[in-house]
Amino acid sequence: MIRTPLRPLARILPARDKGENPDAIERENIRKRHEEMQDRARSRAESRLLVLGVFFFCAFAVVGARMGHLATSEAVEPVASATGAAIAAQRADITDRHGRILATNFETHSLYAQPPQMVDPLAAAEGLVKVFPDLDKERLIKDFTGKRKFVWIKKRISPEQKQAVHDLGDPGLLFGPREMRLYPNGPVAAHVLGGAGFGKEGVSAAEVIGVAGVEKQFDGYLRDPANGTKPLQLALDLTVQAAAEQVLYGGMKLMNAKGATSIIMDVHTGEVVSVVSLPDFDPNDRPQVLVEGDQSDSPLFNRAVQGVYELGSTFKIFAAAQAVDLGLVNTETIIDTSGPMRVGGHPIGEFKNKNYGKISVSEVIVKSSNRGTGRLALQIGTKRQKAFLGALGMFDPTPFEIVEAAGAQPLLPKRWTDLSAVTISYGHGISTTPMHLAAGYAAIANGGRYVSPTILKQKGPQYGPRVMSAEAALAARQMLRAVVTSGTASFGEVPGYAVGGKTGTADKPKPRGGYYKDKVIATFASIFPAHDPKYVVVVTLDEPSVHTYGEDRRTAGWTAVPVTAELIGRVAPLLGARPDVEPGQVAGITLTSN
Amino acid sequence: MRSIVYILTALAVFGLAFWAYRENYATQQVLKETQQVRRDIGAAQVRLNVLRAEWAYLNRPDRLSELAEINFDRLGLLPLRPDQFGRIDEVGYPPEPLLPITDPVDVSTMNAEGQP
C-alpha cells in the first residue's frame, strides 16, 4: 500500500511561500486518512455482519427444515445397532421323549373378501364355489353384492386352494397369513395333545389357543414368545404310544368292548410313557362336543383320566399290602373266608358264590376272595384304611398334567362305615380313574413310595412320601406275581417279563342306581418285571364280552388280561426291556434276619 | 505460519467430514445387509419348520406300518418281539484269519514211533 505522507513537500513549500500554515495541510491529510480508515472499518463490519447473518439464516433454516420434516414424516425408530435375535412369535412345538414332533405349526392362509374392490362379484362367487364345493353360492352373492365391506370366506386354505383362488384374478379376494397347529401323527396320542383352535382373529394374524389336553394345560408356556424355540417335551414315547394304540384297538375289537384304555407308567419317575383311550379322534379335526347323551360315549372322552369307575378287585392288593405293612398278617397267615359273612346287615359274597374256606393271605389275592380282603379290612379299621388310600392319592384328582385330569374327582362313600371299608377293600364303593390305580400300583412296584403320574419328561426318580414299608411292597409284589403264575390272571404270563398283577371285574352302575347284570368294567393292573419292576401297565376294557369254551365271559381274566399280555409283549421290547430269567427261590437258603 | 495452521485445520475438517460421511453410509449399508440376512434367516426358519413338519408327517407311525406291510415281500419287517433279544456272545463273528507262516520249520516224523 502506498502510504501518502502527511506533509507532502510539494504542497508544504508553495503554502509556505504563500504564508499559509502548513499544519492545516497536515490536519487535512490526517482527517482524510481517518475518513478512509473509518470507511474500511465500516465495510469490514458490514461484510462480517452479512456473513454472520447468512450463517444464522442457514442454521435456522436447517433447524426449521428438520423440524418441518420431523413433523410431517412418519416416525421411525432410530436404527443405531442391529437388534438381538428375532423373536419366534409362534407357538412352541410339543415333542415326545426322544424329540419326535407331536405338534408343530404350519403356515397357511385365510381367505377373505372386500366386496367394494371386487370387479365381478357374480363371477367371483361362481369361481369360489368351484374351488370350495361346500360354500353356498347364493349366500356369497348376497354378501358380495350387499353393503358389507368385509367378508370372511375360509379360515384355513391349502396352498393349492390359494393358487386356485389367485387364478380367479379378482382383486377383492384377499389372503391373510394364518398359522395353524398341525398334529403330524394324526390320532396318535390325541387325548393327551387335545387340540388347538383360533382365539382372537385379525386379517394378518390369529391367536392360536389350546382347547384341551396339554395344549390347554401348558397354554401359557407354549404361547410365551421366549419359549418359541424350546419345545415342550413330554414323557410319551411315540413308538410305544402307536404300538399300544394298535394292540389295544385290536384287543378292544376282539373282546367286543365299546371302549378301552391303557396306561404305561414308569414306576420310579412317574413318567407316563403311553396313555391310550379308545375310541379316539384326530386332533387336526377335533369333533364337536356331544350336546346330548352321555359324554363318556364321545371320542373326546379320555377314559384314562376322566373315566371314574369302580375298578373292582384290583384294589384288593392295597388291603393286603396295608395289612402286611401294619404287621397284622404276613403272606402265609390263614384267613377264614368261609361264609356266610354279614357286615352292617349286608351279606358279603364271592364271585359265583364260591367258598374258598381257610386260605392264606397270598391265596386270598390269588383266588380274589372278597370275604378274605373284607376280613383284612375289618382288622385294619376304617381310619387307617382311609389314611392309606388317601396317601396313595385316591381321594383327589390325579396331578396328571392335562386339563381333563383336574375334573376327575374320585367318588367316595359319604360315611366311611365298616361296610364301606369291606366293599372298598375289594374295589366297590370307591370310584377312581385308571390313572389313580396306576399311581397306586407304582407305589407298590417301586418299594412303597408314592409317585405322582406326570406327562412331562423327568430327569430322575421322583419319589414322594413313603406310604408302606419296602417289605410290605415286596410281599405285595410276590402276591401279584402269584396271581399271574397260579391265579386269575394266568393268561397274563409273558415269557421273560415276569408279569405280576391283579384282575378286577366290576359291574357297571346304572345311571339311575343299581348295577347292570351283563355290563362290566374289566381291569388288569400289572407290573413288570415283578422281581424288579420298571413299569406299571393298567388296561381297562369297557363292556367286554367274549364267547369262549361255550360260555359268555366278561371277567378281566378272560378279557383284559390277554390284551395286557399282548401289550406287554409288544411294548416291552420297544421300551428297551430285555427279557430276563426270573430269579427263583434258591433251595435251602432263607432270609433269617429280622 | 498461521496460514499453514489454518490450511491444515481446514484439511483436517475436510478429512473428518469425508470420513464421517463414509462411515455413515457404511453403517447404513451394514444395517441393511443385517436386516436382509435376518429376513433370510426368518424365511429359512419357516422353511425348516415346514420341512420338519413334513418329515414328522411322512414318518408318522400309521404310514410307516402301512409301508412295512406293503413292502413285506422285500423287507420282511415284523414288530419287535421279546425273543429277538440276544447276547453279544451269541453273535457269530467270522474266524480271525491265520497269520502267514514266515519261517517254516521242517518237522520229521521219523522218530515218532519210538516216542511214548
Side-chain angles (χ1 to χ4, degrees), chain A residues 316-347:
Chain A
K316 283 178 179 157
I317 194 66
F318 298 133
Q322 193 188 7
V324 173
D325 184 39
L326 294 172
L328 302 172
V329 293
N330 61 37
T331 53
E332 299 308 320
T333 308
I334 299 297
I335 303 283
D336 184 7
T337 69
S338 51
M341 176 180 173
R342 293 186 81 83
V343 179
H346 289 265

PDB file of all heavy atoms in Angstrom, chain A residues 316-347:
ATOM      1  N   LYS A 316     -57.803-105.031  45.850  1.00  0.00           N
ATOM      2  CA  LYS A 316     -57.552-105.970  46.944  1.00  0.00           C
ATOM      3  C   LYS A 316     -56.099-105.921  47.411  1.00  0.00           C
ATOM      4  O   LYS A 316     -55.809-106.081  48.593  1.00  0.00           O
ATOM      5  CB  LYS A 316     -57.900-107.386  46.488  1.00  0.00           C
ATOM      6  CG  LYS A 316     -59.398-107.619  46.493  1.00  0.00           C
ATOM      7  CD  LYS A 316     -59.767-108.984  46.006  1.00  0.00           C
ATOM      8  CE  LYS A 316     -61.272-109.132  46.066  1.00  0.00           C
ATOM      9  NZ  LYS A 316     -61.778-110.140  45.163  1.00  0.00           N
ATOM     10  N   ILE A 317     -55.194-105.692  46.471  1.00  0.00           N
ATOM     11  CA  ILE A 317     -53.784-105.732  46.850  1.00  0.00           C
ATOM     12  C   ILE A 317     -53.454-104.607  47.833  1.00  0.00           C
ATOM     13  O   ILE A 317     -52.555-104.750  48.663  1.00  0.00           O
ATOM     14  CB  ILE A 317     -52.886-105.669  45.585  1.00  0.00           C
ATOM     15  CG1 ILE A 317     -51.455-106.058  45.908  1.00  0.00           C
ATOM     16  CG2 ILE A 317     -52.929-104.283  44.965  1.00  0.00           C
ATOM     17  CD1 ILE A 317     -51.273-107.489  46.312  1.00  0.00           C
ATOM     18  N   PHE A 318     -54.212-103.500  47.768  1.00  0.00           N
ATOM     19  CA  PHE A 318     -53.937-102.409  48.715  1.00  0.00           C
ATOM     20  C   PHE A 318     -54.273-102.839  50.142  1.00  0.00           C
ATOM     21  O   PHE A 318     -53.530-102.549  51.079  1.00  0.00           O
ATOM     22  CB  PHE A 318     -54.732-101.151  48.351  1.00  0.00           C
ATOM     23  CG  PHE A 318     -54.365-100.590  46.999  1.00  0.00           C
ATOM     24  CD1 PHE A 318     -55.348-100.220  46.089  1.00  0.00           C
ATOM     25  CD2 PHE A 318     -53.043-100.441  46.634  1.00  0.00           C
ATOM     26  CE1 PHE A 318     -55.008 -99.713  44.852  1.00  0.00           C
ATOM     27  CE2 PHE A 318     -52.693 -99.930  45.395  1.00  0.00           C
ATOM     28  CZ  PHE A 318     -53.690 -99.572  44.499  1.00  0.00           C
ATOM     29  N   ALA A 319     -55.412-103.555  50.287  1.00  0.00           N
ATOM     30  CA  ALA A 319     -55.783-104.042  51.620  1.00  0.00           C
ATOM     31  C   ALA A 319     -54.734-105.024  52.126  1.00  0.00           C
ATOM     32  O   ALA A 319     -54.286-104.952  53.282  1.00  0.00           O
ATOM     33  CB  ALA A 319     -57.157-104.702  51.564  1.00  0.00           C
ATOM     34  N   ALA A 320     -54.315-105.940  51.235  1.00  0.00           N
ATOM     35  CA  ALA A 320     -53.330-106.939  51.652  1.00  0.00           C
ATOM     36  C   ALA A 320     -51.998-106.273  51.998  1.00  0.00           C
ATOM     37  O   ALA A 320     -51.381-106.586  53.019  1.00  0.00           O
ATOM     38  CB  ALA A 320     -53.142-107.963  50.530  1.00  0.00           C
ATOM     39  N   ALA A 321     -51.563-105.330  51.147  1.00  0.00           N
ATOM     40  CA  ALA A 321     -50.282-104.661  51.390  1.00  0.00           C
ATOM     41  C   ALA A 321     -50.323-103.896  52.701  1.00  0.00           C
ATOM     42  O   ALA A 321     -49.366-103.913  53.481  1.00  0.00           O
ATOM     43  CB  ALA A 321     -49.965-103.711  50.239  1.00  0.00           C
ATOM     44  N   GLN A 322     -51.460-103.242  52.977  1.00  0.00           N
ATOM     45  CA  GLN A 322     -51.536-102.466  54.221  1.00  0.00           C
ATOM     46  C   GLN A 322     -51.545-103.381  55.436  1.00  0.00           C
ATOM     47  O   GLN A 322     -50.910-103.084  56.449  1.00  0.00           O
ATOM     48  CB  GLN A 322     -52.777-101.577  54.216  1.00  0.00           C
ATOM     49  CG  GLN A 322     -52.702-100.537  55.328  1.00  0.00           C
ATOM     50  CD  GLN A 322     -53.987 -99.757  55.481  1.00  0.00           C
ATOM     51  OE1 GLN A 322     -54.997-100.068  54.857  1.00  0.00           O
ATOM     52  NE2 GLN A 322     -53.945 -98.743  56.322  1.00  0.00           N
ATOM     53  N   ALA A 323     -52.276-104.503  55.321  1.00  0.00           N
ATOM     54  CA  ALA A 323     -52.318-105.433  56.449  1.00  0.00           C
ATOM     55  C   ALA A 323     -50.918-105.958  56.753  1.00  0.00           C
ATOM     56  O   ALA A 323     -50.522-106.088  57.915  1.00  0.00           O
ATOM     57  CB  ALA A 323     -53.276-106.578  56.148  1.00  0.00           C
ATOM     58  N   VAL A 324     -50.136-106.244  55.702  1.00  0.00           N
ATOM     59  CA  VAL A 324     -48.757-106.707  55.910  1.00  0.00           C
ATOM     60  C   VAL A 324     -47.916-105.569  56.493  1.00  0.00           C
ATOM     61  O   VAL A 324     -47.117-105.764  57.413  1.00  0.00           O
ATOM     62  CB  VAL A 324     -48.157-107.218  54.579  1.00  0.00           C
ATOM     63  CG1 VAL A 324     -46.679-107.536  54.753  1.00  0.00           C
ATOM     64  CG2 VAL A 324     -48.924-108.437  54.086  1.00  0.00           C
ATOM     65  N   ASP A 325     -48.130-104.357  55.964  1.00  0.00           N
ATOM     66  CA  ASP A 325     -47.355-103.204  56.409  1.00  0.00           C
ATOM     67  C   ASP A 325     -47.580-102.936  57.896  1.00  0.00           C
ATOM     68  O   ASP A 325     -46.651-102.603  58.632  1.00  0.00           O
ATOM     69  CB  ASP A 325     -47.762-101.983  55.574  1.00  0.00           C
ATOM     70  CG  ASP A 325     -46.925-100.761  55.905  1.00  0.00           C
ATOM     71  OD1 ASP A 325     -45.708-100.934  56.130  1.00  0.00           O
ATOM     72  OD2 ASP A 325     -47.475 -99.649  55.938  1.00  0.00           O
ATOM     73  N   LEU A 326     -48.844-103.095  58.337  1.00  0.00           N
ATOM     74  CA  LEU A 326     -49.169-102.830  59.748  1.00  0.00           C
ATOM     75  C   LEU A 326     -48.758-103.981  60.655  1.00  0.00           C
ATOM     76  O   LEU A 326     -48.904-103.899  61.869  1.00  0.00           O
ATOM     77  CB  LEU A 326     -50.677-102.584  59.889  1.00  0.00           C
ATOM     78  CG  LEU A 326     -51.201-101.314  59.210  1.00  0.00           C
ATOM     79  CD1 LEU A 326     -52.716-101.288  59.240  1.00  0.00           C
ATOM     80  CD2 LEU A 326     -50.640-100.080  59.886  1.00  0.00           C
ATOM     81  N   GLY A 327     -48.288-105.076  60.043  1.00  0.00           N
ATOM     82  CA  GLY A 327     -47.861-106.222  60.852  1.00  0.00           C
ATOM     83  C   GLY A 327     -49.028-107.048  61.364  1.00  0.00           C
ATOM     84  O   GLY A 327     -48.857-107.866  62.279  1.00  0.00           O
ATOM     85  N   LEU A 328     -50.229-106.848  60.817  1.00  0.00           N
ATOM     86  CA  LEU A 328     -51.385-107.627  61.256  1.00  0.00           C
ATOM     87  C   LEU A 328     -51.286-109.059  60.766  1.00  0.00           C
ATOM     88  O   LEU A 328     -51.698-109.993  61.448  1.00  0.00           O
ATOM     89  CB  LEU A 328     -52.677-106.987  60.728  1.00  0.00           C
ATOM     90  CG  LEU A 328     -52.930-105.537  61.142  1.00  0.00           C
ATOM     91  CD1 LEU A 328     -54.129-104.976  60.404  1.00  0.00           C
ATOM     92  CD2 LEU A 328     -53.159-105.464  62.646  1.00  0.00           C
ATOM     93  N   VAL A 329     -50.771-109.213  59.564  1.00  0.00           N
ATOM     94  CA  VAL A 329     -50.658-110.544  58.957  1.00  0.00           C
ATOM     95  C   VAL A 329     -49.343-110.607  58.197  1.00  0.00           C
ATOM     96  O   VAL A 329     -48.677-109.592  58.001  1.00  0.00           O
ATOM     97  CB  VAL A 329     -51.809-110.809  57.952  1.00  0.00           C
ATOM     98  CG1 VAL A 329     -53.147-110.903  58.645  1.00  0.00           C
ATOM     99  CG2 VAL A 329     -51.827-109.742  56.874  1.00  0.00           C
ATOM    100  N   ASN A 330     -48.941-111.811  57.774  1.00  0.00           N
ATOM    101  CA  ASN A 330     -47.944-111.936  56.725  1.00  0.00           C
ATOM    102  C   ASN A 330     -48.579-112.729  55.593  1.00  0.00           C
ATOM    103  O   ASN A 330     -49.757-113.097  55.675  1.00  0.00           O
ATOM    104  CB  ASN A 330     -46.651-112.562  57.257  1.00  0.00           C
ATOM    105  CG  ASN A 330     -46.877-113.952  57.804  1.00  0.00           C
ATOM    106  OD1 ASN A 330     -47.679-114.721  57.249  1.00  0.00           O
ATOM    107  ND2 ASN A 330     -46.200-114.281  58.888  1.00  0.00           N
ATOM    108  N   THR A 331     -47.814-112.986  54.565  1.00  0.00           N
ATOM    109  CA  THR A 331     -48.448-113.588  53.387  1.00  0.00           C
ATOM    110  C   THR A 331     -48.963-114.992  53.666  1.00  0.00           C
ATOM    111  O   THR A 331     -49.807-115.502  52.940  1.00  0.00           O
ATOM    112  CB  THR A 331     -47.453-113.645  52.215  1.00  0.00           C
ATOM    113  OG1 THR A 331     -46.274-114.297  52.670  1.00  0.00           O
ATOM    114  CG2 THR A 331     -47.127-112.258  51.710  1.00  0.00           C
ATOM    115  N   GLU A 332     -48.460-115.625  54.723  1.00  0.00           N
ATOM    116  CA  GLU A 332     -48.864-117.005  54.991  1.00  0.00           C
ATOM    117  C   GLU A 332     -49.937-117.110  56.078  1.00  0.00           C
ATOM    118  O   GLU A 332     -50.354-118.213  56.428  1.00  0.00           O
ATOM    119  CB  GLU A 332     -47.634-117.838  55.402  1.00  0.00           C
ATOM    120  CG  GLU A 332     -46.551-117.901  54.331  1.00  0.00           C
ATOM    121  CD  GLU A 332     -47.096-118.330  52.978  1.00  0.00           C
ATOM    122  OE1 GLU A 332     -47.963-119.234  52.939  1.00  0.00           O
ATOM    123  OE2 GLU A 332     -46.685-117.734  51.955  1.00  0.00           O
ATOM    124  N   THR A 333     -50.347-115.979  56.661  1.00  0.00           N
ATOM    125  CA  THR A 333     -51.375-116.028  57.705  1.00  0.00           C
ATOM    126  C   THR A 333     -52.672-116.586  57.123  1.00  0.00           C
ATOM    127  O   THR A 333     -53.074-116.219  56.012  1.00  0.00           O
ATOM    128  CB  THR A 333     -51.626-114.616  58.256  1.00  0.00           C
ATOM    129  OG1 THR A 333     -50.381-114.058  58.636  1.00  0.00           O
ATOM    130  CG2 THR A 333     -52.566-114.652  59.448  1.00  0.00           C
ATOM    131  N   ILE A 334     -53.316-117.505  57.878  1.00  0.00           N
ATOM    132  CA  ILE A 334     -54.549-118.128  57.376  1.00  0.00           C
ATOM    133  C   ILE A 334     -55.741-117.229  57.706  1.00  0.00           C
ATOM    134  O   ILE A 334     -55.891-116.740  58.824  1.00  0.00           O
ATOM    135  CB  ILE A 334     -54.747-119.522  58.019  1.00  0.00           C
ATOM    136  CG1 ILE A 334     -53.568-120.422  57.658  1.00  0.00           C
ATOM    137  CG2 ILE A 334     -56.064-120.135  57.571  1.00  0.00           C
ATOM    138  CD1 ILE A 334     -53.430-120.705  56.176  1.00  0.00           C
ATOM    139  N   ILE A 335     -56.551-116.983  56.698  1.00  0.00           N
ATOM    140  CA  ILE A 335     -57.765-116.174  56.851  1.00  0.00           C
ATOM    141  C   ILE A 335     -58.954-117.087  56.590  1.00  0.00           C
ATOM    142  O   ILE A 335     -58.950-117.869  55.631  1.00  0.00           O
ATOM    143  CB  ILE A 335     -57.794-115.029  55.813  1.00  0.00           C
ATOM    144  CG1 ILE A 335     -56.546-114.149  55.919  1.00  0.00           C
ATOM    145  CG2 ILE A 335     -59.065-114.193  55.953  1.00  0.00           C
ATOM    146  CD1 ILE A 335     -56.544-113.178  57.054  1.00  0.00           C
ATOM    147  N   ASP A 336     -59.968-116.998  57.432  1.00  0.00           N
ATOM    148  CA  ASP A 336     -61.175-117.799  57.228  1.00  0.00           C
ATOM    149  C   ASP A 336     -62.102-117.043  56.284  1.00  0.00           C
ATOM    150  O   ASP A 336     -62.644-115.999  56.630  1.00  0.00           O
ATOM    151  CB  ASP A 336     -61.854-118.032  58.575  1.00  0.00           C
ATOM    152  CG  ASP A 336     -63.061-118.954  58.414  1.00  0.00           C
ATOM    153  OD1 ASP A 336     -63.247-119.480  57.288  1.00  0.00           O
ATOM    154  OD2 ASP A 336     -63.790-119.133  59.399  1.00  0.00           O
ATOM    155  N   THR A 337     -62.248-117.542  55.066  1.00  0.00           N
ATOM    156  CA  THR A 337     -63.089-116.845  54.087  1.00  0.00           C
ATOM    157  C   THR A 337     -64.428-117.546  53.900  1.00  0.00           C
ATOM    158  O   THR A 337     -65.178-117.207  52.984  1.00  0.00           O
ATOM    159  CB  THR A 337     -62.400-116.768  52.709  1.00  0.00           C
ATOM    160  OG1 THR A 337     -62.353-118.096  52.166  1.00  0.00           O
ATOM    161  CG2 THR A 337     -61.012-116.220  52.819  1.00  0.00           C
ATOM    162  N   SER A 338     -64.696-118.548  54.745  1.00  0.00           N
ATOM    163  CA  SER A 338     -65.954-119.266  54.556  1.00  0.00           C
ATOM    164  C   SER A 338     -67.110-118.389  55.028  1.00  0.00           C
ATOM    165  O   SER A 338     -66.985-117.626  55.983  1.00  0.00           O
ATOM    166  CB  SER A 338     -65.929-120.579  55.335  1.00  0.00           C
ATOM    167  OG  SER A 338     -65.558-120.337  56.661  1.00  0.00           O
ATOM    168  N   GLY A 339     -68.211-118.512  54.336  1.00  0.00           N
ATOM    169  CA  GLY A 339     -69.369-117.686  54.658  1.00  0.00           C
ATOM    170  C   GLY A 339     -70.245-118.362  55.682  1.00  0.00           C
ATOM    171  O   GLY A 339     -69.857-119.394  56.229  1.00  0.00           O
ATOM    172  N   PRO A 340     -71.402-117.828  55.958  1.00  0.00           N
ATOM    173  CA  PRO A 340     -71.801-116.508  55.478  1.00  0.00           C
ATOM    174  C   PRO A 340     -71.138-115.400  56.285  1.00  0.00           C
ATOM    175  O   PRO A 340     -70.776-115.611  57.424  1.00  0.00           O
ATOM    176  CB  PRO A 340     -73.314-116.511  55.678  1.00  0.00           C
ATOM    177  CG  PRO A 340     -73.537-117.434  56.836  1.00  0.00           C
ATOM    178  CD  PRO A 340     -72.458-118.472  56.781  1.00  0.00           C
ATOM    179  N   MET A 341     -70.976-114.239  55.607  1.00  0.00           N
ATOM    180  CA  MET A 341     -70.351-113.102  56.291  1.00  0.00           C
ATOM    181  C   MET A 341     -71.292-111.909  56.116  1.00  0.00           C
ATOM    182  O   MET A 341     -71.720-111.598  55.003  1.00  0.00           O
ATOM    183  CB  MET A 341     -68.991-112.819  55.637  1.00  0.00           C
ATOM    184  CG  MET A 341     -68.269-111.611  56.186  1.00  0.00           C
ATOM    185  SD  MET A 341     -66.689-111.409  55.336  1.00  0.00           S
ATOM    186  CE  MET A 341     -66.149-109.848  55.971  1.00  0.00           C
ATOM    187  N   ARG A 342     -71.642-111.296  57.202  1.00  0.00           N
ATOM    188  CA  ARG A 342     -72.533-110.133  57.130  1.00  0.00           C
ATOM    189  C   ARG A 342     -71.845-108.951  57.801  1.00  0.00           C
ATOM    190  O   ARG A 342     -71.299-109.080  58.897  1.00  0.00           O
ATOM    191  CB  ARG A 342     -73.861-110.421  57.821  1.00  0.00           C
ATOM    192  CG  ARG A 342     -74.706-111.478  57.131  1.00  0.00           C
ATOM    193  CD  ARG A 342     -76.063-111.608  57.793  1.00  0.00           C
ATOM    194  NE  ARG A 342     -76.999-110.575  57.364  1.00  0.00           N
ATOM    195  CZ  ARG A 342     -77.715-110.659  56.225  1.00  0.00           C
ATOM    196  NH1 ARG A 342     -77.590-111.703  55.445  1.00  0.00           N
ATOM    197  NH2 ARG A 342     -78.547-109.706  55.896  1.00  0.00           N
ATOM    198  N   VAL A 343     -71.837-107.825  57.107  1.00  0.00           N
ATOM    199  CA  VAL A 343     -71.272-106.607  57.690  1.00  0.00           C
ATOM    200  C   VAL A 343     -72.333-105.527  57.574  1.00  0.00           C
ATOM    201  O   VAL A 343     -72.837-105.263  56.474  1.00  0.00           O
ATOM    202  CB  VAL A 343     -69.984-106.165  56.963  1.00  0.00           C
ATOM    203  CG1 VAL A 343     -69.439-104.889  57.591  1.00  0.00           C
ATOM    204  CG2 VAL A 343     -68.940-107.258  57.002  1.00  0.00           C
ATOM    205  N   GLY A 344     -72.673-104.922  58.703  1.00  0.00           N
ATOM    206  CA  GLY A 344     -73.674-103.856  58.709  1.00  0.00           C
ATOM    207  C   GLY A 344     -74.987-104.313  58.106  1.00  0.00           C
ATOM    208  O   GLY A 344     -75.686-103.528  57.477  1.00  0.00           O
ATOM    209  N   GLY A 345     -75.289-105.606  58.246  1.00  0.00           N
ATOM    210  CA  GLY A 345     -76.557-106.112  57.749  1.00  0.00           C
ATOM    211  C   GLY A 345     -76.529-106.551  56.299  1.00  0.00           C
ATOM    212  O   GLY A 345     -77.521-107.047  55.773  1.00  0.00           O
ATOM    213  N   HIS A 346     -75.384-106.360  55.637  1.00  0.00           N
ATOM    214  CA  HIS A 346     -75.304-106.759  54.230  1.00  0.00           C
ATOM    215  C   HIS A 346     -74.447-108.010  54.081  1.00  0.00           C
ATOM    216  O   HIS A 346     -73.375-108.100  54.689  1.00  0.00           O
ATOM    217  CB  HIS A 346     -74.691-105.630  53.394  1.00  0.00           C
ATOM    218  CG  HIS A 346     -75.604-104.467  53.234  1.00  0.00           C
ATOM    219  ND1 HIS A 346     -76.440-104.292  52.155  1.00  0.00           N
ATOM    220  CD2 HIS A 346     -75.833-103.404  54.049  1.00  0.00           C
ATOM    221  CE1 HIS A 346     -77.134-103.186  52.302  1.00  0.00           C
ATOM    222  NE2 HIS A 346     -76.787-102.626  53.457  1.00  0.00           N
ATOM    223  N   PRO A 347     -74.905-108.973  53.288  1.00  0.00           N
ATOM    224  CA  PRO A 347     -74.089-110.169  53.078  1.00  0.00           C
ATOM    225  C   PRO A 347     -72.934-109.858  52.132  1.00  0.00           C
ATOM    226  O   PRO A 347     -73.085-109.086  51.189  1.00  0.00           O
ATOM    227  CB  PRO A 347     -75.072-111.151  52.453  1.00  0.00           C
ATOM    228  CG  PRO A 347     -76.074-110.297  51.758  1.00  0.00           C
ATOM    229  CD  PRO A 347     -76.175-109.022  52.539  1.00  0.00           C
TER     230      PRO A 347
END
